[in-house]
Amino acid sequence: QAAAERSTPDLILLDVLMPGSNGFETCRNLKRNAATRSIPVIFLSAKDDTQNLLEGFRAGGVDYISKPFQREEVLARVKTHLTLGALYGELRQNNRALQDEIERCKRAELEVKQLNLDLEQRIAERTARLEELNRHLEQDIRARKQAEAALKELPRRIIEAQEAERQRAAQDLHDGVTQILLSAKYRLNWMLEKS
């Protein structure tokens, strides 16, 4: 197991009956360790009964070869599992690349959402500013229309004021001259009576 951790082989051929511990327990220990978990294990054993075969697969083995075996059969199975291991490694690498791409897309999506929020906020601010400018413009337009209306009224008012002044002056003249004439007439009559 320590040797497998140091060298991380592409495949392990493991005999079920070994001195010290059996191959099934060794395989279980390999599968518990993150460094050796993905290494395919092929069991070799003289025991070819179904119970041992199932025990090998439950321990984490990928194949089980019964002794005595043919060299060509072992080589074919090793080649198959090496190919499968390489494909599995490639699949893991592709999955990591895909996961990285998904994360990049998620970050990009968050950036786009933030940009949209910023843009919406800027649009709202500018819309509010335009509405305020429109209100001021409408007030200016109303004030100018009122000024224009007042300017149009000004000549009429001037004429009315002049006419009123003429009438007042005429009234004052009429009333003043009449009083003077009446006063002169009374004085003249008085003088004529005295003489």
Side-chain angles (χ1 to χ4, degrees):
Q1 184 175 341
E5 283 183 45
R6 281 192 306 272
S7 62
T8 55
D10 294 329
L11 185 135
I12 297 175
L13 286 172
L14 194 58
D15 201 330
V16 173
L17 297 175
M18 297 188 307
S21 66
N22 69 27
F24 299 139
E25 189 56 39
T26 301
C27 185
R28 283 189 197 93
N29 289 335
L30 289 168
K31 297 303 174 184
R32 283 188 205 109
N33 188 336
T36 57
R37 181 176 296 142
S38 62
I39 302 171
V41 175
I42 297 176
F43 286 106
L44 299 171
S45 179
K47 297 181 177 182
D48 62 352
D49 59 280
T50 305
Q51 187 62 35
N52 276 307
L53 181 69
L54 291 175
E55 181 67 22
F57 288 124
R58 280 195 289 265
V62 294
D63 207 344
Y64 195 97
I65 302 173
S66 298
K67 295 179 184 178
F69 50 80
Q70 297 294 319
R71 183 175 180 270
E72 292 79 17
E73 177 189 2
V74 173
L75 289 175
R77 289 187 185 206
V78 165
K79 184 177 178 183
T80 298
H81 288 294
L82 285 175
T83 302
L84 287 173
L87 290 173
Y88 181 69
E90 189 177 320
L91 181 63
R92 274 194 319 241
Q93 187 176 2
N94 288 342
N95 280 343
R96 277 194 299 272
L98 183 60
Q99 191 62 38
D100 290 345
E101 184 64 20
I102 288 169
E103 290 300 318
R104 190 191 66 73
C105 287
K106 284 181 180 177
R107 284 192 303 273
E109 184 180 352
L110 286 174
E111 288 175 12
V112 167
K113 282 183 181 178
Q114 187 59 48
L115 287 172
N116 280 338
L117 287 174
D118 293 346
L119 183 60
E120 287 174 6
Q121 182 177 356
R122 285 170 44 198
I123 288 171
E125 288 170 359
R126 288 192 179 180
T127 300
R129 179 71 180 135
L130 284 174
E131 287 173 353
E132 182 182 347
L133 289 173
N134 279 339
R135 280 193 299 276
H136 289 301
L137 186 59
E138 288 171 359
Q139 290 171 355
D140 287 348
I141 289 170
R142 279 195 298 274
R144 284 186 184 199
K145 284 183 179 179
Q146 289 171 354
E148 286 174 8
L151 282 174
K152 285 180 183 176
E153 279 290 307
L154 189 59
R156 185 184 65 75
R157 285 187 179 174
I158 290 172
I159 290 170
E160 286 176 355
Q162 287 174 342
E163 188 60 36
E165 184 59 28
R166 279 190 201 122
Q167 286 177 2
R168 188 187 61 72
Q171 185 69 33
D172 286 348
L173 276 175
H174 179 267
D175 291 346
V177 170
T178 302
Q179 286 177 359
I180 291 171
L181 287 175
L182 280 175
S183 173
K185 182 181 171 187
Y186 286 128
R187 280 182 109 185
L188 186 59
N189 284 338
W190 179 74
M191 288 165 85
L192 286 175
E193 287 176 8
K194 274 188 159 187
S195 48

